[in-house]
Amino acid sequence: MSSESEVDPAGEASLPGELPEALRAELIAFRRDLHMHPELGNQEFRTTAAIKARLEKAGLKPRVLAVGTGLVCDIGVPDGGRVDGPPILALRADIDALPIPDAKTECPYRSTVPDRAHACGHDVHTTVVLGAGLVLAELHRQGRLPRPVRLLFQPAEEVLPGGAADAIDCGVLEGVGRMIAVHCDPRVDAGKVGLRNGAITSACDRLEIALDGPGGHTARPHLTTDLVTAVARVVTDVPALVARRVDTRAGLAVTWGRIESGHAPNVIPQHAELSGTVRCLDIDAWRQAPDIVVAAIDEVANLHGAKGEINYVRGVPPVVNNGEVTDLLREAMIARRGDDSVESTEQSLGGEDFSWYLEHVPGAMARLGVRPPGERTVRDLHQGDFDVDESAITVGVELFTAAVLLDAATRTA
């Protein structure tokens, strides 16, 4: 990398691609604009337009995905669009928001859209990839980008089974050999990233159940199906049964989020609904999960005389970080911020559709620290008061630019 390196006053070589102060301020403003105008999955038209306009201003040629939102943009690829040489590295961001209200009452850039908020940090992810793209585009103009790179701004990550599948169908992986991403982590201090080899997230599916019975009077439950009791047994017994039908290390868990039944205290209802999630730490157990969960529900419902209709909605497998790509992120972060900037992270029970890309190409996701150093309050993901230390944007941009340059210097295939 000697031809690509700069020398600092101490005489030590450093990677190019650090974030200029003017661009740093612009990216914070860009992130705040996205935060004020959140859009749900597959509705990210304003977000897509804003990203497209900024990339075009930099002389790039982004392409809106065929699904109507989201973009892909290559840097250093000839106008013909053909990627010559080894497969390229792709940087991925998700761009959608969540259907929850923004609870940050004193925040000047809080959401302006009722019941919509960037409460998972996708505005930060988007800004990081945009910023990295702008820095890499400048390096390309200077003749200092050794290999092409692809930017991917993906819609609908929060919509099962995830917009990644649609993006793949749009051809975003053509010519890609590796892919990297970050995800905001409010448990990690800004200025640091968390890394893990192997599974870093869990599988997540959705479960919807309707139970029916003839109904009746609460004075005579023996003459009908006591549907409320049947529902209660499904809620308590199914998770226990499921947990005993796979290796406990697989972490297969059913958790309920909604139950609805009945309208009067003295009437046994005819209909009940419940829904929840199925999460799993192990990809092999995840592949077996639908059969295991459905069988357990049927057993419990039948035992209590209830007729069940089950809608098992496949979600996403775990994100399984490739060891070599994880090492690339580690080396890139250390090159920018030193040994203390990287910490180990645990496997999360959250789901992430970045996993679909890793079914096709090796890749890795880093946990991007967004907690203000020294702050004890953790604003968790998917909560209305979630916010970030915006210095994390700089960290993410410089991590990605370093990863691109180190990847080009060390990989031949």
Side-chain angles (χ1 to χ4, degrees):
M1 283 289 298
S2 59
S3 63
E4 301 299 329
S5 299
E6 298 174 339
V7 177
D8 64 21
E12 297 179 352
S14 63
L15 289 170
E18 294 182 350
L19 194 59
E21 185 59 40
L23 182 55
R24 189 193 318 264
E26 180 190 350
L27 292 176
I28 289 175
F30 189 91
R31 179 257 167 172
R32 291 185 176 190
D33 179 72
L34 294 185
H35 200 85
M36 293 173 67
H37 302 92
E39 296 174 301
L40 299 184
N42 296 315
Q43 301 173 25
E44 312 97 331
F45 298 104
R46 183 187 185 278
T47 303
T48 298
I51 301 166
K52 183 172 183 287
R54 185 59 183 92
L55 293 172
E56 289 176 339
K57 183 179 178 182
L60 299 172
K61 297 181 178 180
R63 307 182 301 278
V64 177
L65 300 182
V67 293
T69 59
L71 310 94
V72 63
C73 182
D74 291 337
I75 303 172
V77 176
D79 288 343
R82 180 178 176 180
V83 178
D84 296 320
I88 62 177
L89 179 68
L91 317 180
R92 175 268 197 174
D94 36 14
I95 66 175
D96 57 325
L98 286 162
I100 63 175
D102 191 331
K104 302 187 298 294
T105 55
E106 302 300 322
C107 179
Y109 51 85
R110 71 188 300 267
S111 173
T112 62
V113 184
D115 299 321
R116 303 285 185 270
H118 269 295
C120 198
H122 294 189
D123 53 338
V124 174
H125 307 165
T126 299
T127 305
V128 164
V129 173
L130 174 65
L134 297 176
V135 172
L136 292 168
E138 179 59 28
L139 291 178
H140 176 62
R141 280 190 288 271
Q142 298 171 5
R144 306 172 73 192
L145 184 65
R147 180 180 295 168
V149 63
R150 176 165 297 162
L151 314 178
L152 170 59
F153 300 90
Q154 177 214 302
E157 190 276 330
E158 298 287 356
V159 181
L160 288 180
D166 289 333
I168 292 169
D169 289 342
C170 291
V172 301
L173 291 181
E174 294 176 8
V176 171
R178 290 177 168 183
M179 179 175 280
I180 57 176
V182 293
H183 198 295
C184 290
D185 191 336
R187 301 165 301 172
V188 177
D189 284 350
K192 297 185 177 184
V193 298
L195 294 175
R196 178 185 177 88
N197 285 330
I200 192 171
T201 70
S202 302
C204 179
D205 300 334
R206 189 171 72 243
L207 189 59
E208 299 169 346
I209 306 171
L211 295 179
D212 292 290
H217 198 292
T218 55
R220 293 176 288 277
H222 59 291
L223 300 180
T224 186
T225 295
D226 188 348
L227 199 63
V228 172
T229 296
V231 170
R233 300 311 303 185
V234 168
V235 167
T236 58
D237 292 353
V238 166
L241 283 174
V242 167
R244 291 296 179 267
R245 294 181 177 179
V246 293
D247 189 323
T248 54
R249 292 171 295 184
L252 182 59
V254 177
T255 305
W256 306 106
R258 182 181 70 94
I259 305 173
E260 293 184 14
S261 185
H263 300 284
N266 60 345
V267 177
I268 294 175
Q270 296 177 312
H271 182 75
E273 295 180 0
L274 59 161
S275 58
T277 59
V278 180
R279 299 182 186 271
C280 188
L281 299 173
D282 178 76
I283 195 165
D284 292 328
W286 175 72
R287 300 191 195 285
Q288 305 171 44
D291 291 340
I292 294 171
V293 173
V294 169
I297 294 168
D298 283 340
E299 287 178 28
V300 176
N302 291 337
L303 181 64
H304 293 274
K307 296 180 179 180
E309 181 177 333
I310 304 166
N311 182 25
Y312 192 108
V313 182
R314 259 316 200 188
V316 295
V319 172
V320 182
N321 281 350
N322 173 270
E324 290 185 1
V325 185
T326 304
D327 288 343
L328 171 67
L329 290 172
R330 179 177 291 105
E331 293 167 11
M333 189 65 182
I334 290 173
R336 293 294 192 206
R337 300 271 167 163
D339 292 339
D340 293 340
S341 65
V342 178
E343 60 183 54
S344 297
T345 190
E346 62 187 12
Q347 183 178 3
S348 165
L349 279 169
E352 232 289 352
D353 75 353
F354 185 67
S355 55
W356 290 124
Y357 302 112
L358 305 193
E359 296 277 293
H360 301 273
V361 297
M365 171 175 282
R367 299 286 185 192
L368 180 65
V370 297
R371 180 178 62 192
E375 182 173 304
R376 294 185 177 181
T377 301
V378 175
R379 294 182 174 88
D380 203 1
L381 301 171
H382 289 219
Q383 300 295 317
D385 65 348
F386 176 75
D387 204 356
V388 306
D389 183 326
E390 291 174 316
S391 67
I393 295 171
T394 298
V395 176
V397 170
E398 295 185 352
L399 168 67
F400 275 169
T401 55
V404 169
L405 296 172
L406 290 173
D407 180 67
T410 59
R411 185 165 61 97
T412 59

